[in-house]
Amino acid sequence: MDSRVYRVLEFDKVKHQVDGLAATSLGKERVLQLQPTIDLQKAIQWQQETQEGVRVLQRKGTPPFGGIFPLQMYWKRAQIGSILQPYELLQVASTLSATRQLKRFFNSLVEEGLGDYPILSPLVAQLTSVRELEEAILQAIGEQGDVLDEASSALRSIRQGIRSLESRIREKLDSMVRSASTQKMLQDPIVTIRNDRYCLPVKQEYRGVFGGIVHDQSASGATLFMEPAAVVQMNNQLREMQGKEEREVERILLELSALVADAAEALEQNSMILSQLDFIFAKAKYALAIRGTEPRLNQERYLRFKQARHPLLPADQVVPIDVELGGDFTQLLITGPNTGGKTVTLKTIGLLSLMAMSGLHLPVAEGGEAAVFSGVYADIGDEQSIEQSLSTFSSHMTNIISILNEMDQDSLVLLDELGAGTDPAEGAALAIAILDYLRLFSTRVVTTTHYPEIKAYAYNTPEAMNASVEFDVDTLRPTYRLLIGIPGRSNAFAIAERLGIPSHIIKHAKAQIGEETRQVENMIQSLEENQKEAELNRTATEALRAEAQSIREQLRLEKERFEQERNQLMEQAKKELEAEMRGRLKEAEQLIQDLRQMALEEETSIKEHRLIEAKRRLEEASQITVPSATGRGVNNRASKDEGPLHPGDPVLVLHLQQKGHIIEQVNATTYLVQIGIMKMKIERKQLERVKEPKQELVHVSRVKAGTTHVPLELDLRGELLEDAIIRVDKYLDEAMIAGLHQVHLIHGKGTGALRKGIQEYLRHHQLVKSYRLGGEGEGGSGVTVVEI
């Protein structure tokens, strides 16, 4: 693609924004080299690596890229035998240390379970930690770039000798300064250094008396800086040792430089990977900065952007647009007033396409789709060249000719004000001819225009679609909203009238246009009104849908909370019952021990009444009821047999943890089961025969009729069916014990659901002889009369 397209669509400005987010010069260089790719798989991989970077930033924060330097020149110089300076070696060590920290950062992502990163992880795994080189440099070079005494034993020894000589020289000179005979010959009582040799400032007139070597003099000539003869020999020795120091330092730096040369391959690979990682995270930071999303990429030349924003416009000012191209139509023709946003829309489409092909996330709503085009071409703005003496029209035609020669069916072509700059009739005809030519190739085209003939072309061409930028006539300002399917109006009369043109002039102007034009304008106005109404309805529908989704989510959370609390209660009840069972078992064991003890004490068989009493206590100890999910009891001594079940048998539905009873056997493995008011076909393996809890009914023979007060009727109105059945079950037991033969169940009329459920339950109840609805004076259909 031509670099001119990057400039026209402002892709270079986007790269500059991404470049500012890179942490290292290596990453910045990669950003500046970024160009869109026409390879679909490569573009997809670039998008995925940006998405992985976003996930890392959101879950762990910014990776540590501090302390990384470009090392290419260093290892190349070291390979040809050059000596690297201390500060250069420090940069090598700093980069190696930063590499280790970066590896540790990514390893912690895996250790903390913060997701998988199939692109980033292999990259980081290729980073090499040259720990020996790093430690060798840091042991020899100080933080300020000085070679340390510890760099070698020879250097330490030399520097100790230098410090000893310097101390002796200073002591000698200090003694001379303190001497009364010498002080009168000195300009100042100090020791100074000239040409790396220790000197004293001597007055000019005492030059011959003082003796020694003159190394310098003051600007006025009144002071001579002289090296006394007494320290000349020691200064010579000092210079020799300083020379040895310089040669040892040079040897150490040469040795470290050789280590850098040996590690050149690892350093080169690290630099490439570090630049790639920094580049990826620069893209990821940019994605978060523009609130970007990962687009779905395709090679079908289809793009769909929802709530698309131009990334270079202020976020609080840009108006999002919805745009689609390449599905039902291949050409999008945008009309509307000047400064209404047509060109911005054109640039947004082109720029977002280039960004998608470069692995950059797009400032669009989730679910956006972008195409990988073979090329993006644009003729936007006034490219008039004074040097070439080209008019605006000629400049546009030159660009369009170049585009027509280079583009193919997989290209995206953006044309601003197609056919403008010449006679309107000829310009419109030429524009239509160009669009027809592009339509032959099925090339994706977006163009802006003012010509009404283009609107008609889009209306009559199946592959083309009208669009417009909305204009608010009341405020005389554009709204910058893009309306797909509606051509733009000029609004010239409305604007002129709002600005104060007399109404009779406006009326006369309207009379000059043809009836067909007026009909078209009226049709466009009607379409705009319908569009606005549809938009309002859509917004209201979206709001209702969002509210319903919110309520649904609240109900889901409430259900989860209820399930959690119920499970906790069930677990607590289970633990309590297990504790009670353990207590009962201990009691049973104690009973057995008591029986044995009684047998030993009496030396005979156990008395019959004691045996009966012990047996009763054992039975009571074994009767433990475990609560089901609904809170109703299911006997723990349920039968585990797999034998056949019969109508009326009580069962536990295992996968529902609900109690019911058998109605009939459907086939060899399936039964029809009544659970409350529901009838369900359930396999035998999901059914467990249960033994009903012992009722006091077994002692009916010991209860005299009428000794227990039981009412003749039971009011169930307002009860839930499940609760009502529990009450009915208990009430019938009590009525039987009390010797009642007929009772009334008051359930009310209502919807009839409660009556139907109760009567269905009565139909299979073992104590019910018959039942019927109440007669006249008995409550009618609101009462069920039960014969026991």
Side-chain angles (χ1 to χ4, degrees):
M1 280 171 273
D2 191 347
S3 59
R4 175 183 166 278
V5 172
Y6 301 154
R7 176 174 52 81
V8 170
L9 295 178
E10 302 177 292
F11 181 65
D12 290 336
K13 292 183 179 180
V14 170
K15 289 204 302 184
H16 181 68
Q17 288 185 337
V18 180
D19 166 71
L21 298 173
T24 69
S25 58
L26 297 173
K28 293 178 184 294
E29 185 178 351
R30 288 294 296 269
V31 173
L32 295 177
Q33 296 172 355
L34 176 62
Q35 288 190 348
T37 179
I38 61 174
D39 186 329
L40 175 63
Q41 296 306 317
K42 184 179 292 186
I44 291 175
Q45 180 179 345
W46 289 357
Q47 286 289 344
Q48 290 174 344
E49 68 185 19
T50 304
Q51 182 62 27
E52 286 190 17
V54 169
R55 286 166 50 206
V56 172
L57 292 176
Q58 291 174 333
R59 297 176 182 182
K60 186 72 174 176
T62 304
F65 283 104
I68 296 176
F69 297 92
L71 306 180
Q72 183 177 10
M73 293 304 299
Y74 299 163
W75 76 65
K76 285 189 174 182
R77 282 172 44 212
Q79 284 179 316
I80 61 175
S82 295
I83 298 177
L84 300 181
Q85 296 303 307
Y87 77 89
E88 295 173 331
L89 291 167
L90 279 180
Q91 289 186 0
V92 173
S94 175
T95 303
L96 290 173
S97 175
T99 301
R100 286 191 300 103
Q101 293 176 16
L102 200 60
K103 285 184 67 103
R104 193 180 307 118
F105 174 87
F106 278 96
N107 289 338
S108 67
L109 284 173
V110 178
E111 293 169 0
E112 296 172 18
L114 298 179
D116 297 326
Y117 303 92
I119 296 178
L120 293 178
S121 294
L123 274 177
V124 175
Q126 296 177 52
L127 290 173
T128 304
S129 298
V130 192
R131 194 65 181 269
E132 299 81 5
L133 174 60
E134 179 189 347
E135 292 177 349
I137 293 174
L138 296 179
Q139 287 174 2
I141 311 295
E143 293 180 357
Q144 304 304 319
D146 55 320
V147 179
L148 302 174
D149 294 355
E150 294 77 11
S152 72
S153 58
L155 183 61
R156 183 186 304 108
S157 176
I158 292 171
R159 285 182 173 174
Q160 286 176 350
I162 289 174
R163 285 190 286 270
S164 176
L165 268 175
E166 288 177 337
S167 177
R168 288 166 54 198
I169 292 170
R170 279 188 170 278
E171 287 177 1
K172 183 64 175 177
L173 293 178
D174 286 342
S175 66
M176 296 176 67
V177 169
R178 290 194 297 269
S179 172
S181 59
T182 305
Q183 280 186 356
K184 65 180 181 180
M185 292 185 285
L186 300 178
Q187 193 74 33
D188 295 298
I190 61 173
V191 178
T192 184
I193 296 177
R194 289 292 187 275
N195 298 327
D196 294 329
R197 300 179 77 90
Y198 286 93
C199 303
L200 295 176
V202 181
K203 296 177 182 178
Q204 172 69 29
E205 58 268 25
Y206 292 106
R207 175 177 182 173
V209 179
F210 188 82
I213 302 172
V214 177
H215 289 285
D216 198 4
Q217 67 177 8
S218 65
S220 63
T223 303
L224 300 177
F225 296 96
M226 299 184 67
E227 179 184 0
V231 297
V232 169
Q233 183 61 30
M234 288 189 290
N235 267 333
N236 288 341
Q237 293 176 358
L238 180 62
R239 287 296 301 141
E240 289 178 6
M241 296 195 73
Q242 288 172 341
K244 290 181 179 180
E245 179 191 22
E246 290 173 358
R247 289 190 293 275
E248 180 62 16
V249 167
E250 183 176 329
R251 185 194 68 78
I252 292 169
L253 294 178
L254 182 60
E255 187 177 280
L256 293 175
S257 299
L259 292 177
V260 172
D262 293 340
E265 184 177 348
L267 295 176
E268 182 177 10
Q269 178 173 291
N270 283 355
S271 294
M272 291 176 58
I273 295 172
L274 291 172
S275 67
Q276 177 70 6
L277 289 173
D278 189 23
F279 169 63
I280 290 173
F281 280 98
K283 294 192 298 177
K285 292 174 188 175
Y286 186 67
L288 293 176
I290 63 173
R291 293 180 289 125
T293 61
E294 179 185 6
R296 178 183 176 274
L297 297 178
N298 65 79
Q299 220 163 15
E300 285 71 45
R301 300 169 296 159
Y302 172 73
L303 59 85
R304 179 174 61 87
F305 301 143
K306 286 284 188 179
Q307 299 293 296
R309 310 178 304 278
H310 196 290
L312 299 177
L313 295 178
D316 57 343
Q317 298 179 16
V318 64
V319 177
I321 62 171
D322 295 343
V323 63
E324 185 175 357
L325 181 66
D328 296 333
F329 50 89
T330 60
Q331 297 182 344
L332 187 63
L333 313 181
I334 307 174
T335 53
N338 289 329
T339 71
K342 298 193 304 296
T343 302
V344 171
T345 298
L346 205 64
K347 287 186 174 182
T348 300
I349 296 171
L351 179 57
L352 296 192
S353 295
L354 292 177
M355 289 173 62
M357 296 163 64
S358 304
L360 297 174
H361 283 189
L362 307 183
V364 302
E366 290 284 353
E369 293 196 47
V372 175
F373 295 104
S374 62
V376 177
Y377 303 94
D379 176 55
I380 299 176
D382 187 0
E383 296 293 329
Q384 180 176 350
S385 172
I386 297 177
E387 292 82 0
Q388 295 179 358
S389 300
L390 294 176
S391 66
T392 300
F393 177 76
S394 299
S395 176
H396 281 302
M397 285 300 105
T398 301
N399 292 334
I400 291 174
I401 291 170
S402 176
I403 291 172
L404 295 178
N405 289 333
E406 296 178 18
M407 67 86 189
D408 57 28
Q409 65 177 9
D410 296 323
S411 301
L412 173 64
V413 177
L414 308 171
L415 304 173
D416 191 25
E417 299 296 348
L418 180 60
T422 186
D423 178 76
E426 294 181 353
L430 184 59
I432 291 174
I434 292 172
L435 292 174
D436 272 336
Y437 177 78
L438 292 171
R439 185 162 57 90
L440 294 176
F441 292 90
S442 296
T443 303
R444 278 30 178 175
V445 179
V446 183
T447 184
T448 64
T449 182
H450 281 292
Y451 293 138
E453 292 87 349
I454 302 297
K455 302 176 189 178
Y457 171 84
Y459 183 79
N460 294 316
T461 305
E463 295 87 353
M465 176 62 69
N466 269 309
S468 61
V469 287
E470 190 179 47
F471 188 85
D472 191 335
V473 179
D474 296 331
T475 62
L476 300 183
R477 290 185 177 182
T479 66
Y480 302 105
R481 293 175 63 245
L482 182 67
L483 305 177
I484 302 292
I486 300 177
R489 291 191 295 155
S490 65
N491 296 301
F493 294 150
I495 294 173
E497 189 170 13
R498 292 277 296 172
L499 292 175
I501 296 294
S503 58
H504 65 275
I505 296 179
I506 300 296
K507 184 176 181 181
H508 181 67
K510 288 181 178 180
Q512 305 305 310
I513 64 175
E515 179 63 27
E516 182 177 349
T517 303
R518 280 197 294 272
Q519 290 178 356
V520 170
E521 287 293 315
N522 292 336
M523 178 195 70
I524 295 175
Q525 182 178 0
S526 176
L527 286 173
E528 288 180 348
E529 292 173 355
N530 292 337
Q531 176 81 2
K532 288 180 180 179
E533 183 178 355
E535 185 69 20
L536 289 174
N537 291 336
R538 187 188 68 81
T539 302
T541 302
E542 286 290 330
L544 289 174
R545 188 181 66 83
E547 182 181 358
Q549 198 160 359
S550 175
I551 294 173
R552 181 180 179 183
E553 180 65 15
Q554 290 177 4
L555 289 174
R556 186 187 66 80
L557 294 175
E558 187 68 20
K559 181 181 178 183
E560 288 181 357
R561 185 187 63 79
F562 170 77
E563 292 286 346
Q564 186 177 4
E565 289 180 356
R566 187 187 69 174
N567 291 338
Q568 290 174 351
L569 291 174
M570 289 288 295
E571 188 65 25
Q572 181 180 353
K574 181 180 178 182
K575 290 179 179 178
E576 291 175 355
L577 286 170
E578 288 176 350
E580 183 180 352
M581 174 65 80
R582 286 193 293 271
R584 297 279 182 90
L585 290 175
K586 287 181 179 180
E587 183 180 353
E589 291 175 1
Q590 185 61 45
L591 286 172
I592 294 171
Q593 292 178 5
D594 290 346
L595 289 172
R596 290 174 179 171
Q597 185 64 33
M598 284 188 292
L600 291 174
E601 288 176 356
E602 299 180 7
E603 298 181 353
T604 183
S605 59
I606 302 173
K607 299 295 183 180
E608 186 65 23
H609 69 278
R610 290 189 178 183
L611 182 58
I612 294 173
E613 177 63 17
K615 185 177 179 182
R616 186 186 66 80
R617 291 170 63 188
L618 282 170
E619 288 179 348
E620 289 179 354
S622 65
Q623 295 298 319
I624 300 300
T625 299
V626 179
S628 69
T630 59
R632 299 178 62 187
V634 178
N635 196 284
N636 194 46
R637 295 179 59 85
S639 174
K640 300 294 184 178
D641 69 281
E642 296 296 332
L645 299 170
H646 305 286
D649 284 354
V651 291
L652 171 64
V653 182
L654 298 177
H655 65 290
L656 298 178
Q657 281 296 298
Q658 293 285 344
K659 186 179 177 183
H661 62 268
I662 300 297
I663 296 177
E664 62 182 21
Q665 184 171 358
V666 179
N667 54 45
T669 60
T670 307
Y671 289 84
L672 184 63
V673 182
Q674 179 81 36
I675 305 174
I677 63 170
M678 297 185 299
K679 295 180 181 178
M680 300 178 66
K681 291 181 179 179
I682 302 174
E683 292 186 1
R684 177 63 180 89
K685 62 183 180 181
Q686 293 293 342
L687 299 174
E688 182 178 289
R689 191 194 315 270
V690 298
K691 188 175 181 180
E692 291 289 354
K694 290 189 175 183
Q695 305 287 346
E696 288 297 324
L697 184 60
V698 298
H699 304 294
V700 168
S701 61
R702 294 178 300 187
V703 180
K704 293 183 179 180
T707 58
T708 302
H709 176 70
V710 177
L712 297 176
E713 60 185 24
L714 176 63
D715 193 347
L716 302 170
R717 288 174 293 186
E719 294 275 353
L720 294 175
L721 177 59
E722 188 171 355
D723 295 333
I725 288 174
I726 294 173
R727 292 188 60 196
V728 168
D729 186 73
K730 181 179 178 182
Y731 175 69
L732 292 177
D733 289 345
E734 293 173 349
M736 168 63 78
I737 294 171
L740 300 179
H741 300 289
Q742 178 176 288
V743 293
H744 294 69
L745 303 180
I746 305 173
H747 42 65
K749 299 179 180 179
T751 62
L754 183 58
R755 179 188 71 244
K756 182 179 179 181
I758 290 173
Q759 291 184 352
E760 182 66 26
Y761 176 74
L762 294 174
R763 189 160 66 89
H764 300 284
H765 200 286
Q766 295 175 350
L767 300 181
V768 177
K769 183 184 299 182
S770 65
Y771 63 88
R772 60 178 174 80
L773 289 177
E776 188 173 349
E778 291 181 319
S781 60
V783 175
T784 294
V785 180
V786 181
E787 295 290 331
I788 300 176

